[in-house]
Amino acid sequence: MITSSFKTIKSDEIFAAAQKLMPGGVSSPVRAFKSVGGQPIVFDRVKGSYAWDVDGNRYIDYIGTWGPAICGHAHPDVITAICEAAQKGTSFGAPCRLENVLAEMVIDAVPSIEMVRFVNSGTEACMSVLRLMRAFTGRDKLIKFEGCYHGHADMFLVKAGSGVATLGLPDSPGVPKSTTNNTLTAPFNNLEAVKALFDENPGEIAGVILEPVVGNAGFIVPDGGFLAGLRELTHENGALLVFDEVMTGFRIAYGGAQEKFGITPDLTTLGKIIGGGLPVGAYGGRRDIMEMVAPAGPMYQAGTLSGNPLAMTAGIKTLELLRQPGTYEQLDRITKRLAEGMLQVAKETGHAACGGQISGMFGFFFNPGPVHNYEDAKKSDLSKFSRFHRGMLERGVYLAPSQFEAGFTSLAHTDADVDQTLAAAREVMASL
Ligand SMILES: *Cc1c(COP(=O)(O)O)cnc(C)c1O
């Protein structure tokens, strides 16, 4: 709990070397801690609810490799199964029985999914599902929401501009306007804005894609009636509804947000948890739509390593652990203690804050709230969050290095972990 022993000499050395070898020193941008400042930590190993860095510091980890580690890092059953599977080879490039096993588990669990295609990342799943939406409807436009992330494919990298008619301007150099000018955006939780887009673009919109619970703009829940309203609007306009459950799938309930809220989309994307820590994504949905995918149908999409036996094994083992009775109740209980505890500590130390959780997914804003959309989230005190993040890190708590990311717990997190986290939060918040 004391900061004076906190040293990151080896982390700093390794990260300095990494910056000469790889852009920004990382393989994915948010890991570089840019938005909170300070040097990132280089991990050496992970186990259960903990991560150890190369200097030997231990952290209670609330990122869990951004979601997949829901059973706890390096769960012995998952690791053993991966090692056994590896003995038979790591990739076949040919049909493999394990694909059937994971496909059946996904189809049984997720209400909208009647058929599924495995890919290698959430990005690939979202990119492919968009091609499928367009192929099936014969329409080019799509609606996404400000602050929602659907991977880094060109068509989704659209500046979250305000106003209903915001026509996609690319968010990144290298993305031509021609690939994003069919991307329409609306504020999350705003049905009127979606309705206006449908009215302005009659017969042109292939569908609506969203994170049913937003985790990439901080943690934002759908208002009552929002998901049902989208279901109705898409039906009325002959458009498809797509839930991007790469984060929420098997996270907020075994059957994802669609089970939790009782709204069934036409198509769903998955990733993260279904790979059990190995690279996987998937998209699936109504059989009549999925049968358009090659080679059953004409919509082309392929992958050298897709459905490989290692990733399938890690996913199968992880879902087996998750479908044990009581797992989601346990995730909910521990995460509620954490989320409510953080708000309580903020209140006692005089900081405006809001936040919440569903099952093992949570969020916390330095913002009086309520937060209904990205505009609201952006009103948070980012400088305060940066200082909070650093203070927690120095006390052995590893939180997402951005105010605009959700947090995750796992089945390995204990009440003692939560107690220690809240004690650290009390110290840090009192000093802010
Ligand atoms: C993480 C994430 C993605 C992208 O998945 P990658 O495996 O990182 O490509 C897409 N959508 C959502 C909702 C995500 O959380």
Side-chain angles (χ1 to χ4, degrees), residues 101-342:
V101 178
L102 187 58
E104 248 175 12
M105 291 176 94
V106 166
I107 290 165
D108 283 350
V110 184
S112 66
I113 299 188
E114 295 172 353
M115 280 186 126
V116 66
R117 164 62 59 87
F118 292 112
V119 292
N120 301 293
S121 70
T123 293
E124 232 188 289
C126 293
M127 188 181 96
S128 308
V129 94
L130 175 57
R131 186 176 303 145
L132 181 56
M133 289 159 77
R134 288 170 162 171
F136 185 78
T137 59
R139 302 172 178 182
D140 285 344
K141 294 186 178 173
L142 87 145
I143 298 176
K144 78 175 279 290
F145 293 91
E146 294 163 12
C148 281
Y149 181 66
H150 305 294
H152 65 80
D154 285 358
M155 307 73 73
F156 295 116
L157 284 187
V158 172
K159 180 162 259 162
S162 57
V164 282
T166 307
L167 265 186
L169 285 180
D171 241 355
S172 161
V175 177
K177 194 169 180 307
S178 58
T179 61
T180 58
N181 57 16
N182 283 317
T183 306
L184 311 173
T185 61
F188 196 75
N189 277 324
N190 189 334
L191 278 178
E192 283 309 309
V194 177
K195 189 167 182 311
L197 289 174
F198 274 116
D199 290 346
E200 288 157 19
N201 299 274
E204 293 185 286
I205 296 174
V208 176
I209 187 168
L210 74 157
E211 294 178 69
V213 173
V214 184
N216 287 289
F219 173 81
I220 305 174
V221 296
D223 292 343
F226 180 59
L227 298 178
L230 291 177
R231 182 63 285 185
E232 224 168 89
L233 278 174
T234 45
H235 266 319
E236 282 168 18
N237 289 281
L240 298 172
L241 180 63
V242 183
F243 280 5
D244 177 354
E245 299 228 42
V246 170
M247 186 182 286
T248 53
F250 297 93
R251 166 62 59 182
I252 66 171
Y254 191 69
Q258 49 201 278
E259 175 196 309
K260 180 95 195 164
F261 296 104
I263 304 292
T264 306
D266 301 296
L267 294 165
T268 299
T269 54
L270 295 168
K272 298 194 168 109
I273 288 175
I274 61 157
L278 288 177
V280 181
Y283 62 103
R286 269 167 43 196
R287 181 177 298 274
D288 61 320
I289 308 175
M290 289 304 291
E291 280 181 338
M292 281 209 79
V293 178
M299 191 216 84
Y300 192 70
Q301 186 271 307
T304 300
L305 295 172
S306 295
N308 73 75
L310 276 200
M312 296 296 104
T313 297
I316 292 163
K317 269 296 152 197
T318 299
L319 298 197
E320 277 175 12
L321 290 165
L322 285 176
R323 70 181 181 195
Q324 304 293 318
T327 50
Y328 289 89
E329 289 77 0
Q330 162 65 8
L331 283 167
D332 197 58
R333 187 188 69 76
I334 207 94
T335 317
K336 185 174 254 141
R337 271 202 67 210
L338 176 74
E340 288 178 354
M342 293 282 250

Side-chain angles (χ1 to χ4, degrees), residues 347-360:
K347 197 171 162 198
E348 286 168 22
T349 49
H351 298 288
C354 68
Q357 56 76 228
I358 302 178
S359 178

